[in-house]
Amino acid sequence: HRYFIENVREGLDDQREWYADRSNGTILYYPYDSDDISSSPGLISSSPYVLSLSGASYLTFKRLSFRHGDWECPPPPVLCCHQGASAQNLATIQVVASNYVNFTNIEIAHTGSHGIWVSSGSHHILIDSISTQDIGAGAVRIGNQDVADGTAYVTVNNSYIHDGGHVSKEGMGIFIQASSYNTIQYNEVAHFFYSGVSVGWTWGYATPSHAHDNIVRFNHIYDIGRGVLSDMGGIYTLGVSPNTLIHNNIVHNVNTYGYGGIGIYADEGSSGIEYYNNLVYETKDAGFNQNYGLKITSIIISFMG
């Protein structure tokens, strides 16, 4: 189903369904006959943040689980849903104006919004060997959507980034907006309703570019789109992005509801990017698609399914 309504009291009519009444802090649950309610805790998060860093330096978070973050719609007239879930300005782990912070061997799970968001001038952030599951929007977000805020030098390495978009379907696995000098490498990215890895946030040839010198390499990206949304790529680029490299990635099983199920998608104005040594197969539409752009190098091994 592409559209659904949730948390409606009148819809509580089948086993394993539940309803949360925030006005009085009550959870109503329709159990299986075999369920033991007395030993089954119910959790409702009252905050989107499990960890919020601001102005932090030289910290390491290791072998921890960050779970159960809430989500909120921005107030009107801002749309609650937008490409990349960029209107969801919340994350379970929020990293603001911080530097030299490492997240190693952590889990992020059961979030309402993004998993981790690095922004506001943060730099030299390492996200290494993490896993995500049951993410409300996107798993990893880097930079801001409207202006370059100085966020740079973020590395996402050797991580299992999967199972997102459960609240905001347009959330992506790894999302670089107006940010530069980032490296996305050796990750497994899967099970998202929108693009797997996205780089750039400027439509057309707008300058100056605030997303440049980014590297996406040696990632395995699959089960993208899942037949729900349209116009996406396993790897998606947007705008002028000088010195950006997309290479040695494996992308497959990109399936959209309608059009645009593309393996590697160089969308509006994608320029100054080298795509090479990428293997693409089992996509609904093209293995590689160039909307329009300048100074593009594309050498891709592509098999359509």
Side-chain angles (χ1 to χ4, degrees):
H1 302 287
R2 299 184 69 235
Y3 302 96
F4 61 93
I5 298 173
E6 65 178 6
N7 207 44
V8 177
R9 172 66 180 85
E10 292 75 12
L12 185 62
D13 58 6
D14 200 1
Q15 291 179 323
R16 286 285 169 89
E17 292 183 344
W18 58 273
Y19 168 75
D21 188 340
R22 291 179 180 271
S23 65
N24 58 23
T26 300
I27 299 177
L28 302 180
Y29 175 64
Y30 194 143
Y32 277 142
D33 295 337
S34 59
D35 287 342
D36 182 1
I37 299 300
S38 63
S39 62
S40 300
L43 298 174
I44 297 181
S45 175
S46 60
S47 171
Y49 312 116
V50 176
L51 174 65
S52 181
L53 301 179
S54 181
S57 299
Y58 298 98
L59 294 175
T60 295
F61 296 88
K62 192 172 185 178
R63 292 191 293 271
L64 298 169
S65 290
F66 298 87
R67 299 178 176 178
H68 303 295
D70 200 2
W71 68 283
E72 300 173 0
C73 274
V78 179
L79 295 175
C80 190
C81 298
H82 194 261
Q83 183 173 345
S86 58
Q88 284 287 347
N89 290 325
L90 303 167
T92 299
I93 300 176
Q94 191 102 354
V95 182
V96 174
S98 299
N99 58 81
Y100 298 97
V101 178
N102 298 338
F103 297 92
T104 303
N105 289 312
I106 69 166
E107 177 201 41
I108 306 173
H110 314 308
T111 76
S113 189
H114 298 285
I116 180 169
W117 184 14
V118 181
S119 67
S120 304
S122 296
H123 60 86
H124 292 92
I125 308 298
L126 175 63
I127 300 169
D128 180 57
S129 302
I130 77 165
S131 66
T132 69
Q133 64 172 320
D134 189 25
I135 303 297
V140 179
R141 181 177 177 182
I142 301 168
N144 221 318
Q145 61 178 333
D146 297 320
V147 297
D149 61 11
T151 301
Y153 297 102
V154 178
T155 297
V156 184
N157 178 69
N158 191 40
S159 294
Y160 185 30
I161 306 296
H162 83 119
D163 191 25
H166 289 293
V167 175
S168 299
K169 300 295 184 188
E170 67 279 13
M172 296 187 277
I174 301 173
F175 184 19
I176 299 174
Q177 293 186 282
S179 179
S180 302
Y181 302 106
N182 304 295
T183 300
I184 311 301
Q185 63 183 10
Y186 302 108
N187 302 290
E188 185 174 346
V189 181
H191 316 313
F192 286 87
F193 300 105
Y194 199 48
S195 296
V197 175
S198 181
V199 181
W201 194 249
T202 303
W203 280 258
Y205 299 127
T207 55
S209 174
H210 298 306
H212 57 81
D213 294 274
N214 291 301
I215 300 173
V216 179
R217 63 188 179 191
F218 297 104
N219 299 286
H220 183 195
I221 303 165
Y222 62 94
D223 193 23
I224 300 301
R226 316 190 79 182
V228 175
L229 299 182
S230 300
D231 195 28
M232 70 188 68
I235 299 174
Y236 178 90
T237 63
L238 185 66
V240 179
S241 304
N243 304 315
T244 291
L245 304 177
I246 313 288
H247 68 90
N248 292 95
N249 300 284
I250 299 174
V251 180
H252 61 95
N253 293 97
V254 181
N255 182 33
T256 57
Y257 173 77
Y259 69 99
I262 297 163
I264 299 178
Y265 190 173
D267 205 0
E268 295 188 33
S270 290
S271 301
I273 305 172
E274 292 186 36
Y275 310 83
Y276 60 92
N277 292 348
N278 297 289
L279 173 63
V280 182
Y281 62 95
E282 293 292 343
T283 60
K284 184 173 183 178
D285 296 305
F288 176 80
N289 182 77
Q290 173 76 60
N291 189 336
Y292 62 86
L294 299 170
K295 299 179 180 179
I296 289 289
T297 299
S298 176
I299 305 172
I300 294 181
I301 303 171
S302 176
F303 298 92
M304 294 290 290

